[in-house]
Amino acid sequence: MPDRPVTETGRVGVVGAGTMGVGIAYVFAMAGFEVFLVEPGAEAASRAQATLKETAAGAVSRAKMTAEKADGYLSQVRIIKGATELPVGLDVVIETVPERLDLKMKVLADIANRAPRLIATNTSSMSIDVLAGAVRDPACFLGMHFFNPVWSLKLVEVIRGAKTSADSVERAQALAAAIGKTTAIVADSPGFATSRLDLVQALEAIRMVEEGVASPEDIDRAITIAYRHPIGPLRLSDMVGLDVRLDIARQLAGTIGPHFAPPQLLQDMVARGDLGQKSGRGFYDWATETINSNAG
Ligand code: NAD
């Protein structure tokens, strides 16, 4: 049996076993936590189980842990069907259901009924203060914004609502540290820190393509080599999804200011179905992994 982490119970809940929920469950399990992973969909639940096994097998094949240890950690993940089945009094329950306000409010209310010490949402764009309306005690509620893939990206953005207590922020930091993550503490504000900063650069890069300043490939090469960014803003936009970028740009243009207004090129690419990696074509041609010179 793996060593127990140094938190109150060493037991956590994750609600929603999609892309993010599985990743979050995995990193907690690999840090020795007992994890209750909530997923009502049978197909999603078996996909989650398979992803957990494949990810652990990858770590074993890279000699990061023994097969025996990986099996021990994974046996600590239990998949259950609803948040109402979560044990009472867990260290934290993290909500990772789809980005729909009504759904998140319902799920957060169910989580609050199980009285965990901390309730976190992994929302990428919703206001923590609005979501706090679903829980009984907003002092123990905050955002813990993880990044995909959760097992390799080390940041957790901790988003403090107006009523979040200092104690809850400390708990979130301690939990993040226990799973090997670094935190950035941010006030509840549209786009938090990461999406807001990342989008400024992506939108400017798209405007530069639009104005013919340089090709997508040259812009990405310039920033990766000159400033040592691991990936250029246009390649990253393709990976995130240009439709996702467009949605966030529109949202931030309405809340923060017109400098987030989406460039016409971005709107045109989304309208013609060039969404980036997921559609096979964006600023890059993902079928051949080469530059799409018609992006402009
Ligand atoms: P996803 O669609 O892959 O997964 C959501 C899961 O929640 C699905 O498996 C779904 O069956 C499940 N679900 C639906 N209703 C539920 C309920 N009532 N109870 C329990 N589970 C339920 O979504 P995702 O990409 O993992 O995103 C989840 C959240 O994380 C969203 O708020 C998203 O904005 C945020 N987020 C996503 C990313 C990303 O890169 N995908 C990054 C950061 C934050």
Side-chain angles (χ1 to χ4, degrees):
M1 198 52 69
D3 293 337
R4 272 288 169 97
V6 200
T7 58
E8 279 112 330
T9 68
R11 303 168 95 207
V12 302
V14 179
V15 182
T19 309
M20 298 306 290
V22 171
I24 296 167
Y26 179 83
V27 294
F28 273 102
M30 292 300 141
F33 284 84
E34 194 178 344
V35 182
F36 295 85
L37 179 57
V38 178
E39 176 54 60
E43 225 173 86
S46 61
R47 248 195 333 265
Q49 196 74 266
T51 306
L52 289 168
K53 275 196 187 142
E54 275 162 30
T55 311
V60 170
S61 74
R62 291 191 306 279
K64 294 211 160 161
M65 72 183 91
T66 64
E68 199 186 9
K69 247 193 163 174
D71 286 347
Y73 286 138
L74 285 190
S75 70
Q76 298 275 87
V77 182
R78 244 169 278 176
I79 301 189
I80 56 176
K81 285 200 165 67
T84 52
E85 293 170 34
L86 284 166
V88 169
L90 296 175
D91 282 342
V92 63
V93 177
I94 302 170
E95 168 280 302
T96 68
V97 300
E99 197 81 342
R100 288 197 343 248
L101 184 62
D102 55 342
L103 176 62
K104 286 201 186 279
M105 296 296 275
K106 160 86 179 68
V107 166
L108 287 168
D110 286 344
I111 294 172
N113 284 334
R114 310 309 290 163
R117 289 166 166 80
L118 184 68
I119 303 175
T121 172
N122 186 46
T123 181
S124 358
S125 63
M126 290 180 182
S127 158
I128 300 306
D129 290 336
V130 170
L131 292 174
V135 304
R136 255 181 267 158
D137 178 11
C140 72
F141 177 68
L142 43 63
M144 283 182 85
H145 185 206
F146 290 79
F147 296 84
N148 183 30
V150 181
W151 37 78
S152 41
L153 295 180
K154 297 282 178 213
L155 185 72
V156 176
E157 203 173 10
V158 173
I159 303 119
R160 204 172 5 91
K163 294 184 178 159
T164 306
S165 68
D167 188 46
S168 293
V169 172
E170 264 175 41
R171 275 177 199 274
Q173 287 179 290
L175 284 160
I179 56 171
K181 304 290 185 202
T182 300
T183 52
I185 314 291
V186 187
D188 186 21
S189 129
F192 311 138
T194 46
S195 305
R196 183 169 171 172
L197 278 175
D198 180 38
L199 202 65
V200 166
Q201 182 172 267
L203 294 178
E204 205 52 44
I206 295 169
R207 280 186 206 108
M208 286 163 70
V209 175
E210 199 169 53
E211 291 165 19
V213 173
S215 69
E217 194 179 36
D218 281 317
I219 291 170
D220 281 353
R221 190 180 308 116
I223 206 116
T224 51
I225 296 178
Y227 297 111
R228 292 192 179 167
H229 287 206
I231 184 168
L234 296 160
R235 191 175 178 82
L236 181 59
S237 295
D238 269 7
M239 292 167 77
V240 168
L242 300 185
D243 51 341
V244 176
R245 285 283 204 222
L246 179 59
D247 281 348
I248 301 176
R250 284 186 171 140
Q251 202 186 329
L252 296 191
T255 49
I256 300 179
H259 53 298
F260 282 100
Q264 191 59 46
L265 173 59
L266 178 62
Q267 299 182 50
D268 293 346
M269 289 176 79
V270 172
R272 63 175 187 252
D274 289 347
L275 308 182
Q277 191 171 24
K278 63 184 158 192
S279 73
R281 197 176 176 82
F283 291 99
Y284 290 80
D285 182 343
W286 289 87
T288 55
E289 276 269 21
T290 54
I291 188 76
N292 174 10
S293 52
N294 295 324

